[in-house]
Amino acid sequence: MRQPWRVAVVGGGIAGLAAAVRLRDRAPAGTEITVYEQSGSLGGKLRTGELAGQPVEFGAESFLMRDPTGAESAAVALARRLGLAEKIVHPTVGQAALVIDGGLRPIPGGTLVGVPGDLDRVTTVARPAADADTDGGRPLVGPDADVSVGALVRSRFGDEVVERLVDPMLGGVYAGRADDLSLVTTMPALARAARVEHTLVGAVRAAQAAAPRAPGAPVFGTLAGGLSTLVEAAVTASGATVRRDAAVRELTATGTGWRLTVGPTRDPEMVDVDAVVLAVPARPAARLLAGPAPVVAAGVGVLDYASVALVTMVLPQPRLPELSGFLVPSTEGLLIKAATFFTTKWGHLRRPDGLALVRASVGRYGEEAHLQRPDADLAATVHRELSAVLGTPLPAPVDGHVQRWGGALPQYAPGHAARLAAARTALRATHPTLVLAGAGYDGVGIPVCVRSGETAAEEIITALGGSAR
Ligand SMILES: Cc1cc2nc3c(=O)[nH]c(=O)nc-3n(C[C@H](O)[C@H](O)[C@H](O)COP(=O)(O)OP(=O)(O)OC[C@H]3O[C@@H](n4cnc5c(N)ncnc54)[C@H](O)[C@@H]3O)c2cc1C
């Protein structure tokens, strides 16, 4: 292998940037790392904007502090690596609510993304089916099987638990429906327990016991200066050359590495590298893989995505409840899917002038037509619905922002993990210096994507001949 190595990271989201940092830390000194990002800014779904003179998240808002085993999450470890650990802050108000019959009810504790481990604790919002979660003498899910979260929970706890608890909570993350989403990919800890336990209550409790949380330990964190500080620090630490407005349009295997076709069709640039981390969503990845690895492209490209819009408003002196926000079951017939009271939830965002920042997310998988509406229309509907749910007319906003995220949230169907494993095995066998990373493959969320990028970097290092450190 020629020295120094040349590695291209395609996609400047958090997965690509985590890969770049790991390459810098573990690949031989002098390795040339270049990040190609098609848009004008890095970070992908991490985007800190500004409203009322303070940083506000227009994309992802926070990260899980722990991974499903209970260990420190990869997002926290990356923040630490980048010298940002002391900037991590936690919600000052953690309690959120569900909208049930038009009003707010606190989300019951003790669930795993809405799936209860104690049925008595959820009766304030949903009536679990009586006696359906019986021991049938075998594990809930077979060794290689996958099911939808909705199908499993419906069969054990009945429809109301799915519609009023699991759907809005999973929907808060994926903008999709529990009936369509893979247990193995969206709730891996529960899937592992369900391969052993004979009841769903038993599986939830086993999953919770496998990742014990110290009493009072925070579940979520964010960075006081905004998540874009993570992006900026990762770029600096990686020492990568960053190419913005540089879409990679084609990948060609050269025999010793890869040729990238970068930039506009009329004025393309050809770049030769030894290895590629492909950290773009599944659809663009499938297009790039179609030439060198058509079978892999087919396996990757089937993933569907949901679109959402985030409507943020600055409200003067509104009367808000002491809640971090609320989630809305689709059965409530509202456009709003979830709302976050930023200035209540996060102590570091509270303001002496009484201005409140409220963000609502709009858009569920299959309801993209609503997102065709103009920004002002979405904002007016959100304002009206917020007032109705809170039972008090909210003051007119003094500022606001609508951020649209088209095709942003993967809808992992049952079988996703097996399909992806097969695609990766095929890719590794023919093209070990081309590795997939990010939410299109390993799951939604900053910690998962950081880990995915780091794992991709390690694979590249192995494929190119091992670490020099
Ligand atoms: C609205 C929203 C809110 C979220 N909130 C949270 C949250 O609070 N907490 C949490 O943990 N997770 C959250 N998530 C999920 C999390 O943000 C994502 O899972 C994660 O950021 C995805 O990172 P990624 O690097 O895999 O992909 P992306 O962020 O999608 O980055 C991929 C990058 O590749 C670029 N690209 C695409 N094609 C090409 C090409 N051909 N050439 C060059 N570049 C290309 C794109 O422009 C993009 O910048 C949220 C997601 C959304 C959409």
Side-chain angles (χ1 to χ4, degrees), residues 172-189:
V173 180
Y174 297 94
R177 296 187 192 283
D179 288 331
D180 300 327
L181 291 167
S182 151
L183 178 73
V184 169
T185 303
T186 66
M187 300 190 69

Side-chain angles (χ1 to χ4, degrees), residues 10-16 36-39 41 43-46 59-63 246-248 279-281 284 288 308 310 359 405 408-409 437-440 443-447 449:
V10 183
I14 196 61
Y36 293 90
E37 166 55 46
Q38 72 174 8
S39 73
S41 56
K45 272 79 186 184
L46 275 58
E61 180 205 356
S62 59
F63 45 80
V248 173
V280 302
L288 290 169
V308 294
L310 301 181
R359 185 176 95 173
W405 291 104
L409 287 161
V444 159
I446 299 169
C449 291

Side-chain angles (χ1 to χ4, degrees), residues 312-448:
T312 309
M313 294 179 190
V314 183
L315 300 168
Q317 314 273 354
R319 284 177 43 213
L320 299 176
E322 196 64 3
L323 291 169
S324 59
F326 61 77
L327 298 167
V328 188
S330 57
T331 46
E332 292 290 316
L334 299 180
L335 190 65
I336 296 180
K337 177 172 68 67
T340 307
F341 306 141
F342 274 149
T343 36
T344 309
K345 177 174 179 180
W346 300 102
H348 71 286
L349 296 181
R350 285 204 180 147
R351 299 175 57 104
D353 57 10
L355 287 180
L357 283 145
V358 177
R359 185 176 95 173
S361 85
V362 167
R364 294 181 174 86
Y365 180 59
E367 296 178 6
E368 282 75 11
H370 292 300
L371 299 178
Q372 309 289 332
R373 295 154 64 169
D375 287 1
D377 187 356
L378 284 183
T381 307
V382 162
H383 189 267
R384 194 176 57 246
E385 290 188 354
L386 279 170
S387 297
V389 168
L390 297 174
T392 174
L394 287 173
V398 293
D399 202 355
H401 177 84
V402 177
Q403 179 71 49
R404 290 166 189 274
W405 291 104
L409 287 161
Q411 303 296 300
Y412 310 109
H416 168 84
R419 194 164 41 246
L420 185 72
R424 275 196 166 130
T425 303
L427 190 58
R428 226 172 264 132
T430 50
H431 297 300
T433 54
L434 175 61
V435 182
L436 300 165
Y441 322 97
D442 295 314
V444 159
I446 299 169
V448 174

